[in-house]
Amino acid sequence: MKCIITIELGTNGIRVFAFDLNGRVIGSMKGYYPTFHTEPDHSEQDPEQIFITTLYVLKNLLNEYIHPKKYKVACICFSAAMHSLLAVDKNGNPLGNAITWSDNRAKKEALELRNSAAGKKLYAATGTPIHPMSPLLKIAWIRSRDAARFRQTSKFLSIKSYIIHQLTGEYLIDYSIASATGLLNIHTVSWEADALQYAGITAAKLPDLAPVFATAGKLKKAYQQSLGLLAETKIIVGSSDGCLATLGDGVKGEGNATITIEDSGAVRVMGPTVLKDDQMRFFNYLLTDNCYVSGGPTNNGGNIFEWFTRQFGDFTNPFDIEHSMQQLIEEASQVPVGSDGLLFLPYLLGERAPIWNANARGAYFGLNIKHERKHFVRATIEGILYEIYSIGKSLGEQRTIKSLSVNGSFGTIPFCTQMIANMFNKPVRLRQQSHSVSFGAWLLSATEMGIYKSLDEAAKTVELPDVYKPHKQHHAVYADYFGIFEKLSTKLFDEFEAIGNLQQKHAVPEELEKKKQSVFR
Amino acid sequence: MNQFVLQHGKSAELRLFPHMLEVGIKKNGSIQLNTFLTTATEGIRIYYIIEGKFEWRINHQPYVFYPGDVAVIMPGAPFGSDNGVLEIGAFTWIHLGIHKGENGHILPGKWSGLSESEGAAIGKILSLNSSPVLSRFNEAGKILKCIHAELFGHEIGYQARINHQVDDLLIQVTRHMTRQSHPGRDFPKTFMRLEQVLRENLSHQWTVEEMAALVGLGTTLFTERVKSYSGFSPINYLINIRISEAIKLLKRPDISVTDIALDTGFYSSQHFSTTFKKLTGYRPSEFRKNHLSNQ
């Protein structure tokens, strides 16, 4: 019996799944690795720890589920979070930690480039919004602020490229991860000369471009032996988590969009053309030939509700945040749709799509004397989802969206899923299992193995049975309030900037803050 | 509340307690210069505030203490008040002659009922803790009051009882410290801090009990939490960090494999080699050779 293994290199850790050839899960395991914030705006991970965690989790999964049942591993397919960057020397050894997507160190560079004509041209060529997350700007930052590291760098890799290189010795980057670097021309599928020039590198400093189906040579002998795998086990370079979550939800083709809400969130569509946008609001990532995953990302998703829960939730049972969240959601369900007119702008972490304003801040609006704690709970959830809706609405200007699918931990809470259906006034389909990314990797592997003729055919087999139907009257209430939400989010532009500046001006450095706390409690 | 100061070698009350260097209560009614000079001493000092507000400097950092607060001053840490002035108020304290062992951890002596491993764990946690302020810790005041009463009462079994109380004080201080720095709402944050402490003390022979105590949890709950959060058992997580760190060091030609093994907490190069090979498929020396040559 053959099986397929998928390895998901996520933001907080790794998830490894084993699937049989019918797409059923044989087993899964996870492993955590930390993100280090050595300086404000910096967000890094230890590549060696990610590698060891990968080996460890993979080995345990094989030993527990695969070898005892005599499964033969046909292939191992990778997925990874986008926008990571790791510099390595000529021996392939890391020069420092990997920089993750949430790292904001290049924000000054990003702002300058975004507001320039060159930036607009780059966006049109690469499909990636000009933002500090993109490796293009991270490389530029290293060049200007860390010249020694820049000089020593033989290759700039993504985390996935590094792990694949460790296992096979090949330097590869798949189209979809490459198109999220801000360095790939998504129309010609080659490195973009203007972007290379801006970053100050040549194409030789980047890994070789490979289709998502490409196999990356053979596992090194030592790993074949220690993992107990055969030499013919294919290593498929795979794709990014965003693209695979979309594929795994069967969204391929017109009329569908998928909403992912984890810590952050995104609304995505897949189609044969890119979304063009003068305001540079959307990303466009190439999955395969003429197939683009496009959409808008938000900074403020499940992390904002988690923030709310930590501040105002009940923690009599310590450490149990899920339990506190559940309690709050029950409380919110006692409040009428629209929270009796209490609105929440969720921009605690600034915002990407659709307003792309790093200065944006949160606010509760419309507060009156009748509002209670439970209204705040509901308004917070509604605010996060209004923001999702506003991305969906702007996508709807270019694509027809008939139905939605929802994935991600926060998004699949029934209370929230129903709310999404009501806000969008569209039915919401939901996968039974919550592993869209890995399932997308399975679909990709199965297509590579010839089980399906194409990704189109593979995506059509995805069953999304649960349907949340929109409630017309609720939609009408949301539509009324959303009008104000949308106005506030753009109208407050100057005030956001002013308060952002004041917060910076009066900010107390973190060290001093700590001391003060211990003194004054 | 009567004032008193008992000192070992001078006060008969402390004859049976060589580990108790000083015990006292001080009530200060007026401000005078040079009454509270900065000193660094051997042994650990624990102050409990009864009345008033004190601004003290511990390890060169300023802190403010209110009634119910406890100050814990570790061996060798300078402690005193600016200008040597003691503010108006009252406090009680104990100075324990607990010394640092060869590994730099403080260790209680033979008088203690703590087992060797418990004593070492408490010592390790106390020495890793960065904040000397324990807020609203009335339990410490009660224990000190009980020690005073026993010292003067001389009732049957008082020696054993006092030693128990001192152990209890060390246990409660340690628990209070870990709970205070890990307030429980945020396991990811707690885990992040644990990870940081482990990385900074990789060569220490960590036990699960120590790791659990460090974040203020019992071992069962701790193991369960770590497993569900990280996918690893605490010990496997630790091994993971050790190997990740070792990989980095192996890529530098200037450190011997034996040193790497010891630096990263393996007790021998053999133990290191076996664990490394089991996980990565390579012996450390092979791994090094592959990464130092041009590929």
Side-chain angles (χ1 to χ4, degrees), chain A residues 299-350:
Chain A
N299 291 350
N300 304 288
N303 49 5
I304 302 304
F305 189 58
E306 197 183 312
W307 162 83
F308 186 91
T309 308
R310 287 198 199 294
Q311 308 313 314
F312 309 110
D314 174 15
F315 282 87
T316 20
N317 177 11
F319 293 104
D320 199 354
I321 184 136
E322 314 256 281
H323 181 75
S324 310
M325 281 182 172
Q326 200 48 50
Q327 278 182 332
L328 288 179
I329 285 169
E330 269 160 40
E331 213 173 299
S333 66
Q334 300 158 10
V335 178
V337 173
S339 304
D340 286 327
L342 181 62
L343 281 170
F344 172 60
L345 302 184
Y347 309 125
L348 270 60
L349 293 161

Side-chain angles (χ1 to χ4, degrees), chain A residues 50 205 328 334 438 509 512 515:
Chain A
I50 296 177
K205 292 256 188 222
L328 288 179
Q334 300 158 10
S438 292
L512 215 69
K515 255 179 247 163

Side-chain angles (χ1 to χ4, degrees), chain B:
Chain B
M1 178 185 64
N2 295 318
Q3 294 194 71
F4 66 88
V5 181
L6 303 178
Q7 284 177 323
H8 188 71
K10 289 182 190 164
S11 315
E13 289 87 347
L14 294 186
R15 200 172 47 82
L16 291 171
F17 307 96
H19 51 286
M20 286 165 60
L21 301 180
E22 202 173 88
V23 185
I25 292 186
K26 173 132 183 111
K27 195 171 181 179
N28 194 36
S30 63
I31 290 187
Q32 286 169 350
L33 281 177
N34 300 326
T35 48
F36 207 74
L37 299 171
T38 299
T39 52
T41 59
E42 283 302 300
I44 183 169
R45 289 177 281 180
I46 298 168
Y47 284 76
Y48 176 78
I49 311 304
I50 301 167
E51 275 172 27
K53 173 187 166 200
F54 294 92
E55 294 186 22
W56 286 339
R57 205 171 266 276
I58 302 168
N59 241 340
H60 312 293
Q61 299 285 339
Y63 298 95
V64 184
F65 295 88
Y66 298 92
D69 288 355
V70 164
V72 180
I73 295 102
M74 296 301 291
F79 164 61
S81 115
D82 284 347
N83 311 323
V85 171
L86 187 63
E87 294 94 342
I88 290 168
F91 56 85
T92 164
W93 76 99
I94 188 166
H95 185 178
L96 296 168
I98 295 175
H99 296 286
K100 282 189 179 175
E102 280 168 26
N103 51 8
H105 307 161
I106 63 163
L107 288 168
K110 286 204 183 75
W111 56 270
S112 170
L114 293 168
S115 71
E116 200 176 314
S117 65
E118 279 183 327
I122 285 177
K124 181 77 188 166
I125 291 160
L126 287 177
S127 58
L128 285 172
N129 186 67
S130 54
S131 172
V133 191
L134 302 177
S135 324
R136 287 170 228 119
F137 184 23
N138 296 317
E139 182 73 13
K142 284 185 202 143
I143 295 174
L144 286 168
K145 206 167 165 184
C146 176
I147 292 174
H148 301 160
E150 291 290 336
L151 278 173
F152 295 112
H154 286 209
E155 280 187 68
I156 181 78
Y158 79 98
Q159 187 183 356
R161 185 124 204 266
I162 287 172
N163 287 340
H164 286 165
Q165 294 287 332
V166 175
D167 275 343
D168 197 25
L169 184 64
L170 289 174
I171 293 168
Q172 300 292 353
V173 162
T174 308
R175 287 189 183 178
H176 199 87
M177 258 178 188
T178 55
R179 284 195 191 125
Q180 181 170 284
S181 51
H182 303 282
R185 322 204 123 199
D186 200 344
F187 191 72
K189 209 175 192 172
T190 297
F191 192 80
M192 197 67 215
R193 284 203 209 123
L194 173 70
E195 152 114 19
Q196 198 185 343
V197 173
L198 295 180
R199 276 175 179 266
E200 283 164 9
N201 296 272
L202 219 46
S203 60
H204 178 68
Q205 295 304 312
W206 290 100
T207 62
V208 180
E209 290 75 18
E210 277 175 327
M211 288 191 257
L214 200 65
V215 299
L217 286 176
T219 49
T220 313
L221 185 59
F222 173 73
T223 304
E224 201 181 287
R225 292 277 172 194
V226 170
K227 181 87 190 152
S228 87
Y229 181 69
S230 75
F232 295 95
S233 74
I235 287 296
N236 280 334
Y237 192 77
L238 180 64
I239 291 174
N240 233 20
I241 314 179
R242 285 188 167 144
I243 297 283
S244 319
E245 208 52 44
I247 286 185
K248 260 182 263 176
L249 296 171
L250 284 169
K251 291 179 177 179
R252 287 171 37 187
D254 52 331
I255 310 176
S256 78
V257 174
T258 311
D259 284 347
I260 293 173
L262 298 177
D263 282 357
T264 52
F266 295 92
Y267 32 84
S268 68
S269 41
Q270 190 51 46
H271 176 218
F272 173 48
S273 184
T274 320
T275 314
F276 194 87
K277 165 120 191 186
K278 212 168 110 194
L279 201 52
T280 67
Y282 292 98
R283 299 214 159 274
S285 50
E286 285 175 291
F287 186 90
R288 164 169 275 185
K289 214 174 90 207
N290 287 340
H291 278 271
L292 290 178
S293 58
N294 275 340
Q295 289 176 329

Side-chain angles (χ1 to χ4, degrees), chain A residues 25-42:
Chain A
V25 176
I26 303 167
S28 82
M29 278 188 186
K30 67 167 190 175
Y32 158 94
Y33 40 79
T35 305
F36 304 108
H37 304 280
T38 44
E39 284 177 50
D41 283 336
H42 286 210

